[in-house]
Amino acid sequence: MKSLSFYSLIVTASLLLSISAYADEYIITLKNNAFSPKELVVPAGHKIKIIVKNQDATPVEFESSDFNREKLIGANSEVSIFIGPLEAGRYTYFNDFHLETTGAIFAK
Amino acid sequence: MTSTPIHVFYKSVLTLTVFIVLICSTKNSAAFGLDEIYSPNVEYREFSVEFMGAQSFDPNADKSGAQVGQVTLEAGLTPRFKLGVSAVYAKEAGKDMQLEAHEIEGLYQFVESGEYWLDAGMLVAYDFSNQSYSPDSIESKLLLQKDVGKYTSTANIGFTQNVGKFSDHTGGPNYTFLWNTRYRYNVFFQPGIEIQSDLGQGHQLNNFNEQEHYIGPAVYGKLFGHLKYQAAYLVGVSNAAARSAARLLIEYEMHF
């Protein structure tokens, strides 16, 4: 019973630690198999929300090992992705279904 | 010769099949418990075929050659829920590999990845024993993950309780703690460190040497296309653990 209480405490603590706050929202659009803007500038040191809109008729897998995200976006759909806080620098991402389709985020 | 997507697919399936056959036909092993370290994040509309195999190594024949293997089919059915079914194989030292259980598992992602300070989820699995006079079991794991710069750390805190027929006198739940931290060098190569601890049942929680603790280097990433891998070589650091153990996971992803 003591162990179960300890486990419950860990679950509760982890949920309490889940504190959200993000600075701004940005939009990245995929159309004709190209991301726009090709390079997005965001503030360094802040958590941001990016809405990725897929305006093509085929699904996309938005992926980046630089900021550790992997999201499937259906045809003509959108998803929200939370990133950061990022240190100043350039972070690349790509469509895992078409590796030549890439983009970047500049944190300044 | 250029590789078309279909060539890459067949190459991946062939590699996976050869690997599974090699592992399942290996002689030598004992029931021990290296496991996959789960991310709390669900990949929606992803279907994957996954094989995880692990083996212990020790000069003592009672501890050497223990093996576990698990073949799993998983599907991200909603943006927050993944369902999986598995066949679990195990082999104790000096014995044959056996189909130990069939497992059904559900993984629920509590929060959107990166939205909060910590990513969190819960895995619940039910094992239907395939062995005579052996109980079924239910496993629950709290899954936590945190990105800091180019590092990602994941922790799984779990317990397993025997249930149903034959579960009398098997004692209280068995606790586990798994941890890894990896450096995301690129998509293909992400080196890291892994800790796997089987803490035992309640009465063993204060006795380090009755528990199995392993720690060592690991590497994660993509091989090519949609084929992912995880490999770890861990050293036993408690008396109950084998001198070392290795684990390998191969996963092929498709989308629906």
Side-chain angles (χ1 to χ4, degrees):
Chain A
M1 187 55 72
K2 193 193 280 184
S3 305
L4 276 177
S5 304
F6 177 67
Y7 192 74
S8 307
L9 183 69
I10 291 173
V11 173
T12 309
S14 63
L15 290 175
L16 287 175
L17 282 171
S18 298
I19 299 162
S20 177
Y22 61 90
D24 289 306
E25 278 187 19
Y26 298 86
I27 294 175
I28 293 175
T29 305
L30 182 95
K31 193 170 185 180
N32 299 323
N33 206 28
F35 288 115
S36 171
K38 182 83 174 166
E39 294 180 341
L40 176 69
V41 178
V42 302
H46 293 277
K47 188 188 288 284
I48 56 168
K49 178 181 179 179
I50 295 179
I51 299 167
V52 185
K53 297 183 175 182
N54 176 16
Q55 296 182 344
D56 279 347
T58 53
V60 172
E61 190 171 43
F62 182 90
E63 184 168 346
S64 171
S65 67
D66 286 353
F67 48 81
N68 196 29
R69 291 291 177 271
E70 189 175 348
K71 272 289 197 199
L72 187 88
I73 311 167
N76 298 306
S77 301
E78 64 181 48
V79 297
S80 297
I81 294 173
F82 294 88
I83 301 172
L86 299 174
E87 291 178 12
R90 184 174 189 268
Y91 299 82
T92 59
Y93 60 85
F94 56 93
N95 174 6
D96 199 27
F97 296 155
H98 293 280
L99 296 176
E100 72 282 3
T101 308
T102 62
I105 294 172
F106 277 103
K108 287 186 175 175
Chain B
M1 192 177 94
T2 57
S3 288
T4 64
I6 200 77
H7 283 128
V8 171
F9 174 78
Y10 284 122
K11 204 169 155 186
S12 306
V13 170
L14 183 65
T15 307
L16 183 64
T17 306
V18 168
F19 177 77
I20 290 171
V21 169
L22 281 175
I23 288 288
C24 290
S25 62
T26 305
K27 294 289 177 189
N28 280 329
S29 255
F32 80 125
L34 293 195
D35 202 355
E36 176 181 358
I37 301 180
Y38 290 87
S39 162
N41 299 322
V42 170
E43 288 171 32
Y44 179 41
R45 294 180 60 188
E46 180 181 283
F47 176 76
S48 65
V49 183
E50 182 183 296
F51 175 78
M52 201 281 293
Q55 177 160 344
S56 68
F57 306 95
D58 195 282
N60 181 343
D62 292 340
K63 287 186 189 173
S64 188
Q67 277 187 350
V68 289
Q70 188 162 343
V71 181
T72 304
L73 303 177
E74 285 179 338
L77 300 179
T78 77
R80 294 283 181 88
F81 180 72
K82 181 164 76 172
L83 186 69
V85 290
S86 306
V88 182
Y89 294 85
K91 181 181 183 303
E92 294 182 17
K95 295 185 180 175
D96 294 328
M97 178 74 88
Q98 292 182 319
L99 174 61
E100 194 170 76
H102 292 98
E103 182 178 279
I104 182 164
E105 67 182 28
L107 192 161
Y108 185 76
Q109 178 182 333
F110 290 147
V111 294
E112 188 57 48
S113 177
E115 183 175 5
Y116 298 94
W117 187 82
L118 192 66
D119 296 344
M122 176 73 79
L123 176 97
V124 177
Y126 191 94
D127 273 31
F128 300 89
S129 175
N130 202 53
Q131 301 294 307
S132 305
Y133 309 111
S134 181
D136 293 351
S137 65
I138 187 162
E139 178 183 38
S140 174
K141 278 182 178 170
L142 175 65
L143 317 175
L144 304 171
Q145 187 162 290
K146 175 72 179 165
D147 292 329
V148 178
K150 294 276 277 183
Y151 293 90
T152 297
S153 296
T154 307
N156 292 178
I157 304 159
F159 71 87
T160 305
Q161 174 66 57
N162 290 330
V163 293
K165 208 174 175 185
F166 310 118
S167 67
D168 293 347
H169 314 299
T170 58
N174 191 82
Y175 297 91
T176 55
F177 175 78
L178 314 178
W179 173 285
N180 69 20
T181 294
R182 59 193 163 93
Y183 177 72
R184 301 190 315 274
Y185 180 72
N186 60 32
V187 175
F188 303 102
F189 180 67
Q190 303 189 352
I193 189 165
E194 191 164 303
I195 296 171
Q196 298 236 2
S197 293
D198 181 345
L199 305 174
Q201 293 179 310
H203 65 280
Q204 294 170 301
L205 290 179
N206 291 326
N207 193 333
F208 182 83
N209 280 317
E210 282 187 16
Q211 304 163 1
E212 289 190 31
H213 296 278
Y214 294 91
I215 183 169
V219 63
Y220 315 86
K222 276 187 181 178
L223 285 175
F224 49 82
H226 294 278
L227 195 65
K228 288 182 172 176
Y229 72 94
Q230 299 180 9
Y233 184 79
L234 309 180
V235 176
V237 292
S238 61
N239 289 348
R243 178 168 289 181
S244 63
R247 124 182 140 81
L248 185 62
L249 183 146
I250 300 286
E251 178 185 12
Y252 188 81
E253 300 173 344
M254 291 156 271
H255 295 90
F256 60 91

